[in-house]
Every structure is written in C-alpha cells, then in structure tokens.
Amino acid sequence: MIKAVNDYYDQLLHQKQYSEHTVNNYKRQILDFINYLAERVKDWPKVSSQDIRLWMAHHHRNGASAATIGLKLSSLRGFLDYLVSQKIIKTNPALGLRGPKKPKRLPKNIDVDSLNHFIDSLPESEPIEIRDKAMIELLYSAGIRLSELSSMNLDSINFNDQTLRVLGKGRKIREVPFGTAASKLLRKWIKNRVSFIKDPNEKALFLSNRGQRLGNRSIQQRLNYWGKRQGLTDVLHPHKLRHSCATHVLESSSDLRAVQELLGHASISTTQIYTHLDFQHLAKTYDAAHPRARKNKKDNK
C-alpha cells in the first residue's frame, strides 16, 4: 500500500509540480489512513466507503475540527482518484462522502477607530518604517491576501486611477482599488526603495534589507512586530487586516457583491452565488465606503 503512496507523491511533486509542503501534507493524511486500517485491510482494492467513514468518525471523536477532517477526506479522495487512473482500483470509495460541516466563523476584525488610530500612529521616518507602514496600509486599504502583497511588482500599481493588478488564487488576475492614504505611502516608499536595491533588475515592490523580494514570513513578522510595539492586545496578521477591510466596507455599504469582487472571492459564504460587478461600480462603492479611501479637502487644494 505504501508503494502506491510514494508513486503518487512523485507524480504530484515532479509531474504536476505541486509544492513539497502541499505534497507532504497530502502524504501525511494518506499515511494516517493506512495506520488507521492497521492489519484489517492490506490492499487498496479492499478499502470500502465504510472504512473511510469510520476513519473520519475516529478523528471526530478525538477532537479533530471539521476543517481538519475535510482536509483528510480531500487528500484521500485525490489519492484514490489516482489509484483509479492507474487501474489499481475500479472505483473511488470516497466519492459521495462528505466531511462534517465547518462552523461559519470569521476571524475577528479590528474596529474602525482602533485600526485607523493604529495605522496613523505608525512612524514613517526611516525607510524600513515607510515600507512596513505602506504594506500595512495596503493590506487594509485594498483587502488583499498576504501572498498577493508579497508577489506584487512595481508595475502592479496604477497611480492614475489608484488600482492594483493583483495575482490571486488560481493565478487569476483582478483589479482592486486602493485609498488615498495608501497611495501617498506607496509613492513615499517607492522613493525610499532605492536604498534597498542591490539588483537594478529587481521588480518586486517590497524589498528586504538584502534587496530581495520580501517573503510571506518576513511580512508576517513585521506586522507582528508593529502590533506588539504599538500595544495591540491581539496578534496583528495580514488576514485580520483583510477581514477588517471587508467588514468595514460591508458595514458602510451593505453591498455584499462589491465586497466579493474586492476580495476576489467566488462567494463570501459557501451558500451564496458569486455575481460579477463592473469595475466602475466596485470603485464607486469602495471610494464611498472605505474609511481610508476618502480624500480630505486639503488634498484637493
């Protein structure tokens, strides 16, 4: 049984070019299923739907979350599909099985006043402070994901209409607006970015001290640093800023479809159907609703 798992591992890693982290995660779930079967079932063709149900029930009784059990089932189902393609088994016994429903819990957002005060109080005297504040402002202003921020290049920004070209999940490109406060900080950062450049051909928007693209882990660490330094009681992480952006726009506009478009989600919950909006409507809703998109009268002078 293990040989088939290793063959599947090699296919995902080398042929489909999945990341090693993802493949190891899949493999861990499949090996967990094999260990659960122990000596009762020794060949893949003898695995039944009931075996899989009992496996999921076992983890449920031991306190595994719905999300964890869902991941285990999804990993095993994909592997069993592979066994079907290799004619090792005739049908996939995991087809039609569903994991437990996930509770609809969203991460806590930071209230508007607290978040605005936090961002406004961040220093911007040194280049690294400007960089970090620009990242935080952009995460909240545009509601983008951590991976979308770290993959952003200089040419991802259009200052004329204050939009970002974002490479989202599934390598789908979308345009999202960002606020005036973010625009000011981005311009300031780009001027200071030259002091970080080691390779003149580097296209990344946000650079480390070594002149390389700032990675996801480094961004998380910088946010955590500023959250602690400014006295936030909870850990500040990128998704909390993204969720706060969505919550604050939704509270102000009540336009769920605009928020879906802004975040690049198929739906904001699993039960709702995604409806496309034209970009002008999205931009108008954003400008009117996001607390840091509004221009001050002084800015127009």
Side-chain angles (χ1 to χ4, degrees), residues 211-278:
Q212 299 172 341
R213 182 183 297 275
L214 201 63
N216 291 352
R217 182 60 184 152
S218 295
I219 295 172
Q220 290 172 323
Q221 290 173 339
R222 295 306 297 171
L223 263 65
N224 187 33
Y225 165 80
W226 285 113
K228 288 181 177 179
R229 176 168 166 173
Q230 299 302 101
L232 292 184
T233 54
D234 294 329
V235 175
L236 181 67
H237 52 79
H239 192 66
K240 183 171 288 187
L241 292 172
R242 173 174 162 85
H243 180 62
S244 295
C245 169
T247 302
H248 298 164
V249 172
L250 188 60
E251 287 174 349
S252 299
S253 68
S254 300
D255 195 330
L256 185 62
R257 293 186 304 154
V259 174
Q260 291 170 352
E261 186 80 357
L262 177 67
L263 299 182
H265 277 169
S267 61
I268 215 164
S269 78
T270 56
T271 58
Q272 291 173 315
I273 298 173
Y274 171 58
T275 304
H276 278 285
L277 291 179
D278 63 88

Side-chain angles (χ1 to χ4, degrees), residues 38-175:
E39 296 298 317
R40 293 186 296 108
V41 180
K42 296 183 179 181
D43 299 302
W44 287 112
K46 295 180 181 179
V47 172
S48 67
S49 298
Q50 183 64 8
D51 291 322
I52 301 172
R53 289 192 184 95
L54 291 172
W55 176 55
M56 291 192 293
H58 163 76
H59 283 291
H60 180 70
R61 288 194 302 272
N62 283 279
S65 67
T68 297
I69 296 173
L71 173 63
K72 290 180 178 295
L73 177 60
S74 176
S75 300
L76 182 61
R77 184 186 290 120
F79 170 66
L80 294 172
D81 278 338
Y82 164 78
L83 295 185
V84 172
S85 72
Q86 299 299 306
K87 303 188 185 311
I88 295 174
I89 60 176
K90 292 182 179 179
T91 58
N92 186 340
L95 291 179
L97 298 183
R98 295 182 179 180
K101 288 186 177 181
K102 299 177 184 178
K104 295 179 181 178
R105 289 180 294 186
L106 291 171
K108 293 180 181 179
N109 64 285
I110 308 171
D111 69 84
V112 174
D113 292 338
S114 296
L115 190 48
N116 275 279
H117 175 73
F118 165 74
I119 296 176
D120 288 338
S121 67
L122 291 173
E124 48 184 286
S125 301
E126 301 295 327
I128 197 168
E129 295 173 345
I130 298 167
R131 181 200 67 186
D132 291 354
K133 187 170 183 177
M135 292 193 302
I136 292 170
E137 183 72 68
L138 202 56
L139 284 165
Y140 174 51
S141 183
I144 55 178
R145 300 177 177 94
L146 170 62
S147 60
E148 293 169 346
L149 179 76
S150 63
S151 64
M152 202 162 287
N153 294 326
L154 284 169
D155 62 4
S156 301
I157 308 171
N158 185 331
F159 283 108
N160 292 329
D161 57 8
Q162 287 189 191
T163 59
L164 303 172
R165 188 174 68 256
V166 175
L167 182 63
K169 286 188 175 180
R171 301 196 65 79
K172 293 181 179 178
I173 297 175
R174 72 183 189 279
E175 281 192 336

Side-chain angles (χ1 to χ4, degrees), residues 157-215:
I157 308 171
N158 185 331
F159 283 108
N160 292 329
D161 57 8
Q162 287 189 191
T163 59
L164 303 172
R165 188 174 68 256
V166 175
L167 182 63
K169 286 188 175 180
R171 301 196 65 79
K172 293 181 179 178
I173 297 175
R174 72 183 189 279
E175 281 192 336
V176 296
F178 60 91
T180 302
S183 179
K184 288 180 178 178
L185 272 168
L186 281 172
R187 290 179 186 275
K188 191 172 182 178
W189 158 243
I190 290 172
K191 288 180 181 178
N192 284 269
R193 179 181 175 274
V194 294
S195 63
F196 287 72
I197 294 175
K198 301 293 188 292
D199 178 3
N201 295 318
E202 178 58 68
K203 298 178 180 178
L205 175 59
F206 294 109
L207 302 178
S208 69
N209 286 328
R210 292 178 294 177
Q212 299 172 341
R213 182 183 297 275
L214 201 63

